[in-house]
Structure formats: C-alpha cells, structure tokens
Amino acid sequence: MAYARQTVVLASGLMVLGALASCGTEIGTATGTSPRPSAPTERTSAFSTPPAVPSDTVAASVHSSVRSPSARADEPTQPSGTRCRTSELSASVGRMDPGAGQRNFPVVLTNDSSRTCTVYGYPGAAFVDAAGRQLGPDPVRTPGDARSVTLAPGESAWAGLRYASPGVSGARTAVPAALLVTPPDEREPLKVPWKAGEVPVGGNSSKVFLTVLQPGAGP
C-alpha cells in the first residue's frame, strides 16, 4: 500500500511539472521575453500631439506678420482740416521767363474760397491734348525744401515749370490743348488752357521739371 501511495504522489508531481512546462512554452512563443516598459522613441514623439500654444501668443505672432503700408518720407501730408481743396482753388500759368535754352513758367494756385487754407509740396501737372490724353511723361520733381504755404482768400502760391527749348534740344514735340494742375494731396485737377506752343514729349532732353510751391504768383 505504501508503494502505491508513492506512485500516485510521483505521478501527480509529474503532471504538475508537465502543466508548468506547457504554460512556459506558450508564453515564450507569444512574447519571447517578459514584457518591460520601454521609453518612447523619436518616431512615437513625432506623432504625438504638440503642446497647446496660448491664444495671446498666436495673436501676437499674427499681428507681427502684418505690416501696414508706410507713407513716403518725402511727402508728408497736410491736416485735412486746413488743406486747400480743388474746389476752393483756381489755376493759371504765368508769363514765360526765357532762360539759356530753357522755357520757364510759374504754375499758380489761387485761393478763391472765403476761408484760409494751406498747400504743401508739389502740385501735379500734365500736358493733355484736346481729347484729354496725356502728352509726354509726368514732370520730374526738382529737389527742394517743401514748406506749408498759408493762403488767405485771394492769395496765391506758385511752382516753377521748366523744360529745354524744343528748337535747341531737338526733342519730339506736341502742342497741348491744356495743362492739368492738381493741388497737393488732391485727386481732381484744374484745367488751364495752354497757349505757349509746343512742348517736348519724347526723345532727347524731353524731361519737364517742376519745383515745390512757394508763396506768391511768380518769381
């Protein structure tokens, strides 16, 4: 009987060992090693959600990328409340002052309104034909010290318009019907009939020059 009990115990032990061996084989096939926590790799971090950016930082970044247009340094504008408007002015061209191979004209703006106003800098000027088409390029602005000119009712300011005499320069010419004069900082021009003959519109020495406005009706 003792021998029979030892046989049963030994058989039971062998069964338990077999079961443990079977379990060990299944674990080894599935994982190879015991599972260990691993550090995140670079690939994992590349697909991770980026940290949130504060909204005020985003707003500051957007604001810094927007640049407002800056005004030209050589063209400061006048306060709109004091500026002479086109509707308040009349324009005229004074008598020609001949120079050494040049023709010089004062382009005059006169305050026809009942209030005091100011002009500053250069007027616009363009020769046009009877159909209103511009003849030649825009005048070249002669460097000068611009200043605000105050015009009481009836007072004037003038700018010098000059060009080389076409008979001397050999430039291509045309006879304008009018000179359009635009007050500084305005859009609407004043039309002045042109009675001084041909002007240069192309070719050699065809540039027309214009000076800043100054007080008075001419030199």
Side-chain angles (χ1 to χ4, degrees):
M1 293 294 291
Y3 176 79
R5 282 196 300 270
Q6 290 178 1
T7 302
V8 172
V9 172
L10 179 60
S12 299
L14 291 174
M15 291 177 62
V16 171
L17 289 174
L20 289 175
S22 174
C23 290
T25 302
E26 291 178 1
I27 294 174
T29 302
T31 63
T33 57
S34 301
R36 294 180 182 177
S38 59
T41 63
E42 292 182 359
R43 180 179 298 273
T44 301
S45 62
F47 290 95
S48 60
T49 303
V53 179
S55 59
D56 55 347
T57 303
V58 174
S61 175
V62 173
H63 178 73
S64 66
S65 67
V66 178
R67 299 179 182 270
S68 59
S70 57
R72 285 177 54 180
D74 61 341
E75 288 188 7
T77 58
Q78 308 166 81
S80 59
T82 64
R83 185 174 76 235
C84 294
R85 306 290 182 176
T86 298
S87 59
E88 298 174 313
L89 300 170
S90 62
S92 61
V93 177
R95 186 177 60 184
M96 181 183 69
D97 179 20
Q102 291 186 337
R103 295 182 180 180
N104 305 284
F105 300 87
V107 177
V108 184
L109 292 173
T110 301
N111 182 6
D112 289 343
S113 73
S114 59
R115 76 177 184 108
T116 297
C117 59
T118 61
V119 290
Y120 182 97
Y122 300 85
F127 292 111
V128 295
D129 62 15
R133 293 184 295 263
Q134 182 170 339
L135 300 172
D138 293 335
V140 176
R141 294 178 173 184
T142 302
D145 295 327
R147 57 174 174 155
S148 181
V149 180
T150 301
L151 302 179
E155 291 185 336
S156 301
W158 70 281
L161 181 75
R162 68 176 175 86
Y163 52 85
S165 300
V168 175
S169 68
R172 188 171 71 254
T173 64
V175 178
L179 177 69
L180 299 184
V181 181
T182 307
D185 304 318
E186 291 290 293
R187 294 181 179 273
E188 293 299 320
L190 297 163
K191 188 175 182 179
V192 183
W194 184 256
K195 302 182 182 298
E198 61 182 359
V199 300
V201 295
N204 296 332
S205 302
S206 60
K207 289 182 179 179
V208 177
F209 298 89
L210 193 65
T211 69
V212 297
L213 287 162
Q214 49 192 307

